[in-house]
Amino acid sequence: MSLFVNVTLNGLANGMIFAALALALVLVFRATRIVNFAQGAMGMMTTFIASSLLGRGVGYWWAFLAVLVIGFVLGALVERVLIRPLQGKSELNPVIVTIGLLIVLEGLAGTIYGNSSRGFPAAYSQSGLTVGHTKIAFSHFDVFILVAVLVLMTGTLVLFRATSLGLRMRASAFAGEISRLLGVRVGLLLTLGWALAGVAGSLSGLLVAPTSSFGPYFMDLVLVYAFTAAVIGGLESPVGALIGGLITGLSISYVGGYLGSGLQPLGALVLLMVALMARPEGIFARPPARRV
C-alpha cells in the first residue's frame, strides 16, 4: 500500500511539471497552430541562465523572477524573428525551424556551460514529508510545484475566460482575418501567446532541474511527456494540459514503480498511441464538424 501511495504522489508532482510544459505547447498551438518542438530547449536555456545568476550571488527568488521575464522575452523574440516571416508559407517550415532551434539551443548551452551534468538548488526541502509516523514521497518542494503550476493554470484560465485581452487572443487564434477586420492587433496578440508560453516553459525548467540531472538535454524527455499530455488533453485546451499532465505523470509513475524506470518512455509512447486511436482531438477538444 505504501508503494502505491508513494508512486501516486510522485506521479502527481511529475504530472504537474508535465502540465506546465504542456500548457506552453497549447499556448503556442492556439496562437499559431504550430507545435513548438524547441519549447523544452528554451526552458533549458533559461534554467541555465538562472544557474548563472545564482552562481553570481543573486538571490534565489530574484533569479526565479528574472528567468520568467527572460522566458517571456525569449518567446516573443522567437515568434517575431523566426516564426512571423514564415506566415503564408508551407506549414512544414515552422516545424523545421523549431527543430532547428532545438538543436541550436542545446549546442549553444553545451558550448557555453559544458555537457556535464550539474546540480540545481530547489526552492524548498526535497526531503519527504512525515504524516503521523510515516514518511511519504512528497516533499515541501513537491508542494511548491503543485501550487506554482496551479497558480499558472488559474492565471491562464482567468486570462482567456474573464478578460477582454484573453477574448481577443482567442479570436486572433481561431479567426485571424475576421479579427483584423474588427481592428484587433492580431500580430501583437500572437506574439503575446508565444511570450506566455515562454514563461510556462521557463517555469517547467526551474521545476524539473532540481529533480533531475541538469544538463543541456535534461528537458528532452520532459518535452516528450508534455507533448503526450497536450495530445491527451487537447492541443487547444489549457484545462486539457492540466488533466493530460496528471494522466501522463501518474501513468508513467505507475510504470516506473511497478515495471521499472527504464520502461517509462515506452509507457509514454503506448499512452500516446492509445490517446491518438481513441480520441485524436483530445479529451477537451471538440471533434471537427463534418459536412454532410
Side-chain angles (χ1 to χ4, degrees):
M1 185 63 181
S2 61
L3 175 61
F4 175 78
V5 172
N6 289 333
V7 167
T8 300
L9 291 174
N10 181 66
L12 177 64
N14 289 335
M16 297 303 285
I17 295 174
F18 302 154
L21 192 56
L23 177 62
L25 296 174
V26 166
L27 289 172
V28 168
F29 190 81
R30 283 170 63 101
T32 50
R33 323 307 291 177
I34 295 169
V35 176
N36 181 14
F37 290 102
Q39 194 71 66
M42 292 166 64
M44 171 275 298
M45 200 69 191
T46 56
T47 306
F48 266 110
I49 294 174
S51 179
S52 296
L53 292 175
L54 293 173
R56 294 177 180 272
V58 177
Y60 184 92
W61 294 111
W62 285 113
F64 191 96
L65 292 174
V67 164
L68 295 184
V69 173
I70 292 170
F72 183 92
V73 174
L74 179 59
L77 285 175
V78 169
E79 194 279 334
R80 282 284 185 175
V81 176
L82 298 179
I83 303 301
R84 182 71 61 87
L86 300 177
Q87 286 185 347
K89 299 180 181 179
S90 170
E91 295 180 356
L92 187 60
N93 289 357
V95 175
I96 296 173
V97 167
T98 60
I99 294 174
L101 180 60
L102 162 68
I103 297 171
V104 168
L105 289 177
E106 289 183 342
L108 186 62
T111 301
I112 297 175
Y113 301 104
N115 290 310
S116 59
S117 298
R118 61 179 71 187
F120 189 89
Y124 297 98
S125 170
Q126 292 181 278
S127 177
L129 297 172
T130 300
V131 179
H133 298 288
T134 305
K135 197 166 189 177
I136 60 175
F138 201 77
S139 65
H140 290 89
F141 184 64
D142 291 327
V143 174
F144 172 67
I145 290 174
L146 184 66
V147 172
V149 176
L150 286 177
V151 168
L152 175 67
M153 291 289 178
T154 302
T156 302
L157 289 176
V158 170
L159 171 66
F160 282 116
R161 298 188 178 184
T163 67
S164 60
L165 175 61
L167 178 61
R168 292 196 299 272
M169 290 180 68
R170 292 167 63 188
S172 300
F174 294 106
E177 292 302 323
I178 296 176
S179 299
R180 286 189 179 91
L181 293 175
L182 294 174
V184 176
R185 299 180 64 182
V186 173
L188 180 61
L189 294 178
L190 297 183
T191 302
L192 179 60
W194 276 75
L196 293 176
V199 174
S202 296
L203 176 63
S204 65
L206 291 169
L207 298 179
V208 171
T211 64
S212 68
S213 297
F214 174 43
Y217 309 102
F218 84 104
M219 289 292 286
D220 287 352
L221 192 56
V222 179
L223 179 66
V224 173
Y225 296 151
F227 179 72
T228 303
V231 170
I232 291 172
L235 275 166
E236 297 175 359
S237 172
V239 175
L242 176 60
I243 302 302
L246 291 176
I247 292 174
T248 304
L250 289 170
S251 300
I252 292 173
S253 186
Y254 290 138
V255 170
Y258 290 101
L259 299 178
S261 58
L263 292 177
Q264 286 181 327
L266 180 60
L269 176 61
V270 172
L271 185 62
L272 179 60
M273 292 174 61
V274 171
L276 289 173
M277 289 189 292
R279 190 173 173 84
E281 67 274 7
I283 297 174
F284 289 89
R286 295 180 180 178
R290 295 182 178 180
R291 291 186 178 183
V292 180

